[in-house]
Amino acid sequence: MVSWNDKVKRLLKSELVKRGVSNTDLAILLNEIGVHETKASIDSKISRGSFSACFFIQCLSVIGCSKIEIEELESSILIAAEPSVEYYKKSSNGN
């Protein structure tokens, strides 16, 4: 079963590593935009993986990440998908 906390934690950590940003650097960057976090509070949030979407977006924003790729879900999860049926739209002339 997918642990969503682990998934989001890995996603944030990988974006930080890609950019060479430490948790200390992240605290400084967040404080520069008025988000008051310490290195210890960031360590704790990332370790748990249970932080708000707001915190996640703030972190991605200050490190310059404007696009993320979410890894494939584990095969044990079923996902509903659009049927592979073509839909035909009648034209205004009746065809």
Side-chain angles (χ1 to χ4, degrees):
M1 185 53 93
V2 172
S3 167
W4 292 101
N5 288 351
D6 285 343
K7 184 180 266 311
V8 73
K9 170 175 55 174
R10 286 193 316 267
L11 186 57
L12 180 54
K13 285 171 84 173
S14 72
E15 293 301 325
L16 291 169
V17 169
K18 284 180 193 175
R19 290 163 178 76
V21 177
S22 70
N23 288 357
T24 301
D25 298 331
L26 182 58
I28 292 166
L29 292 168
L30 288 170
N31 280 292
E32 287 175 358
I33 65 164
V35 178
H36 303 291
E37 294 285 348
T38 64
K39 179 194 178 298
S41 68
I42 291 170
D43 289 345
S44 178
K45 286 179 181 187
I46 293 176
S47 173
R48 286 190 321 266
S50 59
F51 40 80
S52 70
C54 182
F55 175 77
F56 184 63
I57 298 299
Q58 289 167 335
C59 291
L60 294 178
S61 178
V62 298
I63 66 172
C65 178
S66 59
K67 190 176 194 178
I68 58 172
E69 223 175 283
I70 300 173
E71 62 195 45
E72 291 295 318
L73 298 174
E74 292 180 12
S75 60
S76 63
I77 296 179
L78 299 175
I79 300 174
E82 284 290 318
S84 59
V85 175
E86 286 192 43
Y87 296 96
Y88 295 99
K89 191 167 114 179
K90 288 187 177 181
S91 65
S92 58
N93 64 7
N95 292 331

